[in-house]
Amino acid sequence: MREMQPNPAILPEDAPHGAAAGDAVLVRIAATAASKEDAIRQAGQMLVAAGCVAPGYEDSMVRREDVANTFLGAGVAIPHGLGEDKGLVRRDGIAVLQLRDGVEWNPGQTAQLVVGIAASSDSHIAILRRLTRLIQDEARLAALIASDDPHAIARALGEDGAAPTSAAPVADLAHSAQWTVDYPAGLHARPASAWMDAARAAPAALRVRHGHDSADPKSLVSLLQLGLKQGDTITVSADGPQGRAAVDQFLAVARRLTAREKEDAARAAAKVAAAAAQNGGKGWQPETPLAMLAGVAASPGLAIGRVHVVAAAELTVPDEPVDLGRGGAMLDEALRRTRAQMTALIDDTTRRLGAGDAAIFKAQADLLDDTDLITLTCQLMVEGHGVAWSWHQAVSRIAGQLSALGNPVLAARAADLHDVGRRVLAAIDPALATGSLETLPDGPDAAPCVLLAGDLSPSDTATLDPAKVAGIATALGGPTSHSAILARTLGLPSVVALGNDLLALGAGATVIVDGDAGRVWLDPTAADIASAQAWIDRIAARRRAQEAERSRPAITTDGHQVAIAANVNRPDSVAFALAEGAEGVGLMRTEFLFLERGDTPGEDEQEAIYRAMITALGDGPDGHRPLIVRALDIGGDKQVPHLDLPTEENPFLGVRGARLLLRRPDLLDPQLRALYRAAKHGGDLSIMFPMITSTWELQRLRARCEEIRAELDAPAVPIGIMIEVPAAAVQAAALAEHADFFSIGTNDLTQYTLAIDRQNPDLAAEADSLHPAVLRLIALTVEGAATHGRWVGVCGGLAGDPFGAALLTGLGVSELSMTPRDIPAVKARLRGASLADLQDLARRALAQPGAAQVRALDAGAA
Ligand code: PEP
Ligand code: MG
């Protein structure tokens, strides 16, 4: 029913809890609007008709939209006139259009309550404060959007009551069911994010209660504040005719996650056990009784060092009030840019570590959409504070609430919130993008220190230099935090959740961090330091021996050598890859040069990066180490905001990779020019095009390469393609005529062959590159390449799996490119087998009915 009310106006005398004295609250129930402008004009005309504003104010409201975003959030928009037209306001009032079907306000933002504001004074802020409070109460807001009672809306906008707390009342709703949390790590951010998605998709508003605490499951923070642990029983409830279905659906999602949570916990435990075993089994024990702080082991190994206390990053965020409309737009833009950064991070992690780990980052990104957080920020802004200040306050307050609950899972989430919060702050004002680690002891005599901090953000941890830092100890944090993951990647022993006593330690004191046992030993004696050092030296010697092995080539027992390369995107990561045993770079994903920044790197800048890669690779025993640079693989899931690519319904099937390059010479040409300019300075450079489906694409791209090469008088370089689309694998022989080499992207080839979105965590287990269908396409590719004597590499995830690498070698693949840390295990596996055995293994694998049966051959493999 979309009828326009004949007499829409409710004047203050009708409103039982009227707005501030003299304010008019005008409400039009079940209105319709053809467009945003139509909605704004309707609201403006209501204000004109009620005598709140002079005619012409509607125009001013419409013009304002050109300079500011008036979408407040949660379906509420607040159009109002330009500051210079305040003279048109005769008395304060608001006109509310209830648009049940909504109207698109901005792309992706739909307004259902359009609140036109006429305000000559501070009453504007008062109105906004009420609105932002209302936004916090999602259930009430939803009721108002559906209500037939204009008085209810007038009352809601006239109330100045206390801000609701994030905890909803503890009574259950009409339909309820109980469930006992059986996730070993409790409700941490990743499953909470899935709960949130389920609640948002549910046909009725839900409530989750644990004891006296209850949460709105549409809010991630609200859910996390429950601090649910394994064994906690919750009651999920909902009202209305769809209430039962909503509860059942929600709990089905919660239950479905159990298996994966258990698997993850088992895998994490196995990793810790393996690390401990590698570090000498029983671990190190002091020889004398020492004072000790007990925490949670986060990254294995032992570190001795003087304490360097990282002062809690006391970031001074100036409070610089701005016009509310502009402030809203600034916040919106900063959140948009941060979301894009997070998309890049999720994408990168999915590729390097898999969809399971990337889901942790997705949960961090979800915090950006948390209504509690946004509303609190808006509230502070409407109170007259600056954007950056309000955001910083909101993050600090909510993170403070999470940390105060004394639950390690929540403490880890608080760190994530601070971290993502800092990204937004830097996006609001780049001057606020300060790190907190500038004062690390430096200089030639400075021994690596032990960092002591309240908590360390993932971003801070990622920038740590192991030459300056020996280990990490934090008062807060959890072993599943991003910081812990990064510390493990960096090989820095780390203990978290040591409590505030840790921070009482003075700078300069010596400690021993035991990342296996989760302990920090204080004031060790000289004898203890010596024995700990001997233990560290033993582990290091073992590692060095492994490293020596890593640098040996991967030659099978019958003398067949497989080229082993690394997937590396940045020059400063090359040294690590070489240390792990890489013989070159088989895949440099250049999209990360574009994804992580707000603009497109120019030709000169790109050339400098490619040259730096070549220089970092240097020469190996057989001359220049090879570098394969993949041309920009943008589009689809990899959105670069500043390129303004159109939104696609099925981005993985859209204008992606080579398809985009062929449409955007402004992206292709500078990259090719930069590559050929770099090639003129030497090195062993190859260019590779992603997502090739048909021969004409390759022919066109190749022709463009040749034109640019000739213009620059540059040397010819090999031009290869990725085989990622089944069509390309099937037509490998035709493509091989025009390509100098192939590199199989098993991540995409698996996705397209099995029709499984590679980012879908629910299907992650089924997206198995060992599926015989994928293996058969690889075999076809090798066969097709051979018709023109081309070599075939693999740079997708399968290359880094020792069993996968063995199979691929048996299938005839001659180069494997992988995440650097996978190299030692892959080399060891290949060295232990004969090519004949691997070919036999490949033959048997191709004959299997499914991925599980292929995997089962692993035990019998060499
Ligand atoms: C692949 O698809 O396997 C691949 C290596 O490319 P990306 O992961 O960058 O899509
Ligand atoms: Mg790919």
Side-chain angles (χ1 to χ4, degrees):
M1 278 246 295
R2 296 284 152 266
E3 259 169 46
M4 186 108 56
Q5 301 285 304
N7 177 8
I10 300 178
L11 292 175
E13 51 273 28
D14 297 331
H17 297 269
D23 287 2
V25 181
L26 316 154
V27 180
R28 182 172 289 166
I29 291 290
T32 54
S35 64
K36 171 180 172 182
E37 180 171 343
D38 180 19
I40 294 171
R41 288 195 180 281
Q42 285 187 44
Q45 279 150 15
M46 285 160 73
L47 290 168
V48 172
C52 294
V53 295
Y57 189 76
E58 320 93 282
D59 293 330
S60 178
M61 290 166 83
V62 170
R63 285 204 309 278
R64 181 174 198 112
E65 296 298 318
D66 292 333
V67 292
N69 172 21
T70 59
F71 191 81
L72 196 58
V76 178
I78 48 160
H80 48 286
L82 290 162
E84 71 228 38
D85 293 327
K86 277 227 152 98
L88 297 173
V89 177
R90 298 202 175 124
R91 71 189 175 101
D92 293 346
I94 55 178
V96 185
L97 284 190
Q98 183 207 49
L99 298 166
R100 292 177 189 169
D101 273 353
V103 69
E104 183 177 68
W105 210 255
N106 297 308
Q109 292 179 331
T110 301
Q112 290 184 291
L113 272 191
V114 173
V115 183
I117 301 176
S120 54
S121 64
D122 288 345
S123 57
H124 191 121
I125 290 176
I127 292 165
L128 280 175
R129 195 177 304 130
R130 281 177 216 138
L131 274 169
T132 50
R133 281 184 184 152
L134 190 57
I135 287 175
Q136 262 187 305
D137 191 345
E138 284 181 45
R140 184 155 184 226
L141 188 59
L144 291 181
I145 289 168
S147 171
D148 289 327
D149 178 8
H151 294 271
I153 294 180
R155 265 198 308 275
L157 295 184
E159 270 173 12
D160 238 341
T165 62
S166 55
V170 291
D172 297 326
L173 304 171
H175 304 279
S176 68
Q178 290 199 327
W179 184 64
T180 300
V181 178
D182 57 1
Y183 308 157
L187 185 69
H188 59 99
R190 194 177 46 203
S193 153
W195 285 26
M196 178 186 74
D197 289 344
R200 290 185 176 174
L206 288 152
R207 180 173 296 168
V208 175
R209 183 176 62 76
H210 172 236
H212 293 295
D213 299 327
S214 68
D216 171 0
K218 283 188 188 158
S219 158
L220 190 63
V221 171
S222 180
L223 275 174
L224 290 174
Q225 279 174 336
L226 289 177
L228 295 176
K229 297 187 291 299
Q230 184 173 28
D232 287 344
T233 297
I234 55 167
T235 304
V236 179
S237 62
D239 265 338
Q242 298 274 43
R244 169 57 48 206
V247 169
D248 291 348
Q249 277 177 29
F250 181 83
L251 283 178
V253 170
R255 285 193 187 98
R256 219 180 303 133
L257 294 171
T258 299
R260 201 168 124 227
E261 286 300 309
K262 287 187 173 166
E263 259 171 43
D264 284 357
R267 211 174 306 132
K271 266 190 202 164
V272 170
Q278 205 180 14
N279 286 351
K282 290 215 316 276
W284 174 80
Q285 287 293 326
E287 291 171 8
T288 45
L290 290 181
M292 176 268 284
L293 292 174
V296 177
S299 173
L302 207 60
I304 311 166
R306 280 181 188 277
V307 162
H308 175 82
V309 183
V310 183
E314 262 316 319
L315 189 59
T316 315
V317 179
D319 192 0
E320 288 161 353
V322 287
D323 163 82
L324 201 53
R326 197 164 90 77
M330 281 167 69
L331 182 63
D332 242 26
E333 171 63 13
L335 290 170
R336 191 183 63 77
R337 292 199 17 213
T338 310
R339 271 186 212 108
Q341 272 181 15
M342 296 306 290
T343 305
L345 187 60
I346 292 165
D347 191 65
D348 187 26
T349 312
T350 307
R351 275 154 223 277
R352 286 188 296 112
L353 306 173
D357 281 1
I360 302 172
F361 290 83
K362 179 180 176 299
Q364 206 185 52
D366 282 341
L367 289 169
L368 292 172
D369 293 326
D370 191 82
T371 42
D372 286 352
L373 186 60
I374 308 276
T375 314
L376 186 52
T377 309
C378 290
Q379 259 181 321
L380 293 166
M381 278 162 56
V382 296
E383 280 168 14
H385 296 289
V387 188
W389 190 93
S390 302
W391 172 260
H392 186 54
Q393 276 292 317
V395 166
S396 306
R397 286 187 202 175
I398 293 182
Q401 286 165 16
L402 290 172
S403 308
L405 295 172
N407 174 321
V409 174
L410 298 188
R413 264 28 305 156
D416 278 343
L417 184 54
H418 276 302
D419 198 25
V420 85
R422 272 175 41 177
R423 283 177 192 265
V424 176
L425 216 46
I428 296 171
D429 179 356
L432 296 172
T434 47
S436 53
L437 298 169
E438 281 104 16
T439 54
L440 282 183
D442 212 347
D445 303 331
C449 63
V450 167
L451 274 191
L452 233 71
D455 205 353
L456 270 188
S457 71
S459 306
D460 275 345
T461 312
T463 60
L464 290 180
D465 177 355
K468 293 184 188 167
V469 178
I472 303 171
T474 62
L476 304 169
T480 56
S481 70
H482 292 173
S483 294
I485 292 168
L486 290 163
R488 289 196 283 271
T489 307
L490 290 167
L492 289 176
S494 164
V495 181
V496 297
L498 285 152
N500 281 336
D501 289 351
L502 177 77
L503 300 174
L505 293 181
T510 298
V511 296
I512 297 175
V513 173
D514 184 343
D516 295 307
R519 290 175 183 168
V520 174
W521 301 96
L522 312 179
D523 294 324
T525 62
D528 285 318
I529 291 179
S531 98
Q533 189 58 54
W535 194 89
I536 292 171
D537 291 346
R538 266 201 312 281
I539 302 287
R542 192 176 310 151
R543 265 197 213 126
R544 270 196 302 277
Q546 287 171 353
E547 259 166 32
E549 288 289 295
R550 282 171 201 169
S551 52
R552 281 178 46 218
I555 301 180
T556 57
T557 52
D558 49 359
H560 174 74
Q561 180 165 357
V562 182
I564 302 291
N567 296 348
V568 170
N569 302 334
R570 294 178 185 82
D572 57 8
S573 308
V574 169
F576 176 67
L578 296 181
E580 292 290 302
E583 296 152 11
V585 167
L587 172 65
M588 175 185 177
R589 292 177 164 112
T590 55
E591 50 276 13
F592 293 103
L593 304 176
F594 290 66
L595 279 164
E596 285 166 1
R597 42 188 288 163
D599 54 6
T600 301
E603 191 177 312
D604 291 349
E605 204 177 330
Q606 287 195 54
E607 181 198 345
I609 292 168
Y610 304 140
R611 284 181 61 184
M613 286 291 288
I614 291 169
T615 308
L617 274 165
D619 290 345
D622 309 316
H624 299 307
R625 291 196 179 96
L627 166 65
I628 301 179
V629 179
R630 181 172 75 182
L632 204 52
D633 185 15
I634 288 285
D637 57 318
K638 286 179 259 189
Q639 291 301 332
V640 181
H642 63 269
L643 294 182
D644 284 331
L645 300 172
T647 310
E648 296 175 305
E649 283 250 341
N650 290 305
F652 278 123
L653 304 183
V655 180
R656 201 196 145 181
R659 301 170 188 173
L660 182 75
L661 294 173
L662 286 165
R663 284 167 176 77
R664 292 286 299 263
D666 59 315
L667 297 173
L668 174 67
D669 289 1
Q671 184 167 39
L672 291 182
R673 289 179 61 83
L675 283 164
Y676 278 109
R677 278 169 52 179
K680 287 179 85 164
H681 295 270
D684 179 358
L685 175 73
S686 299
I687 300 175
M688 177 158 75
F689 289 106
M691 278 290 294
I692 295 284
T693 311
S694 303
T695 44
W696 66 264
E697 295 167 329
L698 170 57
Q699 282 171 295
R700 266 211 221 155
L701 287 164
R702 209 179 166 113
R704 189 66 197 132
C705 285
E706 179 49 28
E707 278 162 20
I708 287 177
R709 188 206 63 74
E711 266 165 43
L712 294 170
D713 192 23
V717 301
I719 294 172
I721 60 167
M722 303 248 339
I723 302 287
E724 307 181 272
V725 181
V730 170
Q731 279 209 299
L735 286 162
E737 189 182 340
H738 307 282
D740 296 315
F741 64 92
F742 290 159
S743 184
I744 303 175
T746 47
N747 309 335
D748 274 316
L749 187 61
T750 306
Q751 145 166 284
Y752 293 122
T753 305
L754 304 181
I756 291 180
D757 180 341
R758 62 193 263 181
Q759 294 181 318
N760 186 330
D762 276 349
L763 294 172
E766 287 162 60
D768 195 335
S769 298
L770 290 178
H771 194 293
V774 179
L775 300 180
R776 278 168 179 263
L777 288 172
I778 294 173
L780 270 183
T781 305
V782 172
E783 196 184 301
T787 58
H788 291 274
R790 311 300 186 199
W791 64 266
V792 179
V794 171
C795 61
L798 189 60
D801 167 3
F803 177 60
L807 250 178
L808 290 168
T809 303
L811 285 167
V813 166
S814 58
E815 181 243 31
L816 298 168
S817 189
M818 64 204 79
T819 299
R821 63 188 165 74
D822 290 341
I823 291 174
V826 164
K827 279 190 167 181
R829 180 70 181 246
L830 296 180
R831 277 192 217 112
S834 72
L835 179 62
D837 285 347
L838 299 181
Q839 285 168 336
D840 180 54
L841 169 70
R843 260 191 304 275
R844 282 184 290 136
L846 288 174
Q848 298 304 316
Q853 290 84 354
V854 174
R855 221 165 254 295
L857 300 175
D858 192 4

